[in-house]
C-alpha cells in the first residue's frame, strides 16, 4: 500500500520466502508462520505468533498505517 500506509514487505533470498509481521515487525517464514496468516483487503499477512494475528484482526488499519505497533 502506498501513501500513509505501509507496504507489505517481502524478503527475498535463499530458502523459504519471508515477510514482516505488520504488528511487531519481526521476520516471518511464509511457508509455516507460527502465528498463522490473515487476508485483509486481498492481501495476505503473516504473523510471528497468535497474539500478533489477533491484534491485527482487531484493528488492521491502525497497524498498516503505523498508528499502532507492538515492540518485541
Amino acid at each position: 500500500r502506498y501513501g500513509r500506509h505501509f507496504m507489505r514487505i517481502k524478503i527475498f533470498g535463499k530458502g523459504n520466502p519471508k515477510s514482516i509481521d505488520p504488528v511487531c515487525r519481526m521476520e516471518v517464514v511464509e511457508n509455516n508462520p507460527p502465528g498463522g496468516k490473515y487476508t485483509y483487503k486481498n492481501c495476505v499477512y503473516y504473523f510471528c505468533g497468535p497474539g500478533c494475528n489477533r491484534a491485527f484482526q482487531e484493528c488492521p488499519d491502525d497497524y498498516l498505517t503505523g498508528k499502532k505497533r507492538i515492540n518485541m
Side-chain angles (χ1 to χ4, degrees), residues 4-24:
R4 293 183 300 155
H5 300 279
F6 286 102
M7 290 176 43
R8 189 180 103 185
I9 302 170
K10 288 187 77 79
I11 300 170
F12 297 100
K14 295 180 180 181
N16 297 322
K18 298 175 184 172
S19 288
I20 301 297
D21 182 318
V23 175
C24 67

Side-chain angles (χ1 to χ4, degrees), residues 8-67:
R8 189 180 103 185
I9 302 170
K10 288 187 77 79
I11 300 170
F12 297 100
K14 295 180 180 181
N16 297 322
K18 298 175 184 172
S19 288
I20 301 297
D21 182 318
V23 175
C24 67
R25 306 287 186 250
M26 289 180 67
E27 191 175 286
V28 180
V29 175
E30 293 179 5
N31 295 347
N32 190 22
K37 57 187 177 179
Y38 180 72
T39 301
Y40 178 69
K41 294 186 178 179
N42 296 319
C43 193
V44 179
Y45 297 92
Y46 301 87
F47 300 92
C48 70
C52 283
N53 192 332
R54 281 191 300 274
F56 182 80
Q57 289 184 41
E58 289 176 10
C59 47
D61 289 319
D62 287 347
Y63 290 103
L64 295 175
T65 60
K67 184 176 178 181

